[in-house]
Amino acid sequence: QVQLVESGGGLVQPGGSLRLSCTASGFTLDEYAIPWFRQAPGKEREGVACISRSNGDTYYADSVKGRFTISRDNAKNTAYLQMDNLKPEDTAVYYCATDIICAWTVIAGEGVVLPSQIGSWGQGTQVTVSS
């Protein structure tokens, strides 16, 4: 069974950190680019980061650049999203996915991560940043 499972979400105070994990089963994660997306209540899903399949290049939305770090451990079939200096506006459900490439572009002067050809989605993990 092909499955992506996210974990590591929770409640954290502003300025705090969390590390999200995305573990694959039923397939090999290193065959794909791995983007992370998030969706806040009442808002559209937005891409926050992506790590490429081939050389591990990383891409970030301007809204998280310098605070979030994406990585992968192919031996563990797991990707990670380290989130530091969290802000209340980071509150959302976070999803990992598989994609064929990382798609990063500039829209209205802001760097964004877009889906290209998403294969699988995880079920999501809630991140709440609040004092």
Side-chain angles (χ1 to χ4, degrees):
Q1 182 180 2
V2 174
Q3 194 174 16
L4 285 171
V5 178
E6 299 99 334
S7 61
L11 173 64
V12 64
Q13 292 186 341
S17 298
L18 284 173
R19 188 178 79 156
L20 306 184
S21 298
C22 171
T23 300
S25 60
F27 66 100
T28 304
L29 203 61
D30 64 5
E31 296 179 355
Y32 300 92
I34 304 298
W36 282 89
F37 297 86
R38 66 185 181 187
Q39 188 165 22
K43 293 188 177 182
E44 293 186 356
R45 187 174 296 186
E46 64 167 332
V48 296
C50 186
I51 186 165
S52 69
R53 174 186 64 182
S54 56
N55 55 12
D57 284 349
T58 57
Y59 304 83
Y60 299 94
D62 283 357
S63 58
V64 305
K65 192 172 184 178
R67 301 188 298 120
F68 289 14
T69 304
I70 190 171
S71 62
R72 64 196 304 162
D73 184 337
N74 292 332
K76 294 183 178 180
N77 220 24
T78 299
Y80 303 97
L81 186 68
Q82 176 68 40
M83 306 186 296
D84 298 316
N85 191 21
L86 283 161
K87 304 176 181 180
E89 52 263 42
D90 295 318
T91 295
V93 178
Y94 284 71
Y95 302 87
C96 65
T98 60
D99 207 333
I100 60 168
I101 60 169
C102 287
W104 182 94
T105 189
V106 176
I107 297 177
E110 183 173 347
V112 297
V113 171
L114 299 175
S116 178
Q117 293 186 33
I118 299 293
S120 300
W121 290 95
Q123 84 290 351
T125 185
Q126 176 70 47
V127 171
T128 302
V129 185
S130 176
S131 55

